[in-house]
Amino acid sequence: MILTSALQAIGLFIATNIDDIIVLSLFFARGAGQRGTTARILAGQYLGFVGILGAAVLVSLGAGVFLPPAVIPYFGLIPLGLGLWAAWQARCGGDDDDAEIEGKNVAVWTVAGVTFANGGDNIGVYVPVFLNVGPAGVVAYCIVFLALVAVLVMLAKFVATRPPIAEVLERWEHILFPIVLIGLGIFILISGGAFGL
């Protein structure tokens, strides 16, 4: 059970943060040759991500207290809708996930702000998951997510020094992200019994 939850948390983290690799890679490229760049980017990513988790947990707590349990599975409509929206944007050629960082310093608050602003989809996906796993599950997910933030930053640093990898991620992220979100939304709806499924 613990291993299954950990694997689900890892999968969810990857699905909702794969686009951050490109953004963080741009920060690393911007700060190349400056002392402390990695530490500032890591601290900023943690600050932004803690803000995302805090918002998702607070929304989950409020929804869990004020909503009847029969309504909770319908929160699967959020990642489903986000996935369909992302698919629509990919089809139309729009992509607002690439943060514009030209002319900005690689500062902790800059990275934190971009991370939090880019995390609206994360909050929308985490809330229905948190509502379905219970308090112990939320703690477990948060621990796994926070451990993976450091891995994400180190991966982005690696990518920033290897342009062919960054190009592949940038090319396929717009397809993978909607597929994973749509699948997650359908899973939440079906496992919760929404619409009599």
Side-chain angles (χ1 to χ4, degrees):
M1 184 71 169
I2 294 173
L3 179 61
T4 303
S5 294
L7 291 175
Q8 289 171 346
I10 291 169
L12 183 59
F13 183 87
I14 291 169
T16 56
N17 291 288
I18 193 166
D19 57 335
D20 287 349
I21 293 174
I22 303 301
V23 176
L24 291 171
S25 295
L26 293 173
F27 278 121
F28 276 110
R30 173 99 177 142
Q34 298 176 13
R35 290 187 87 155
T37 295
T38 301
R40 287 190 302 275
I41 291 173
L42 184 63
Q45 184 68 14
Y46 266 109
L47 280 174
F49 199 78
V50 165
I52 290 167
L53 283 180
V57 168
L58 289 175
V59 171
S60 301
L61 290 173
V65 170
F66 298 110
L67 294 177
V71 174
I72 292 174
Y74 292 95
F75 274 84
L77 292 171
I78 296 171
L80 178 62
L82 289 170
L84 292 172
W85 178 251
W88 175 257
Q89 286 184 316
R91 184 177 182 275
C92 293
D95 185 11
D96 62 355
D97 283 340
D98 292 337
E100 181 66 49
I101 62 170
E102 187 65 37
K104 294 185 179 178
N105 293 326
V106 181
V108 171
W109 294 111
T110 302
V111 177
V114 170
T115 299
F116 188 79
N118 198 29
D121 56 341
N122 297 46
I123 296 168
V125 173
Y126 297 165
V127 169
V129 172
F130 288 175
L131 286 170
N132 282 310
V133 298
V138 171
V139 171
Y141 270 71
C142 288
I143 290 170
V144 170
F145 287 172
L146 291 172
L148 291 175
V149 167
V151 174
L152 180 71
V153 171
M154 290 306 115
L155 183 60
K157 184 176 183 177
F158 177 81
V159 169
T161 59
R162 282 139 191 93
I165 296 173
E167 290 170 12
V168 169
L169 283 174
E170 192 169 359
R171 184 179 317 135
W172 293 104
E173 181 270 332
H174 70 283
I175 294 172
L176 295 174
F177 186 67
I179 289 172
V180 171
L181 286 182
I182 290 168
L184 178 64
I186 291 170
F187 173 76
I188 291 169
L189 290 168
I190 291 173
S191 66
F195 303 112
L197 300 172

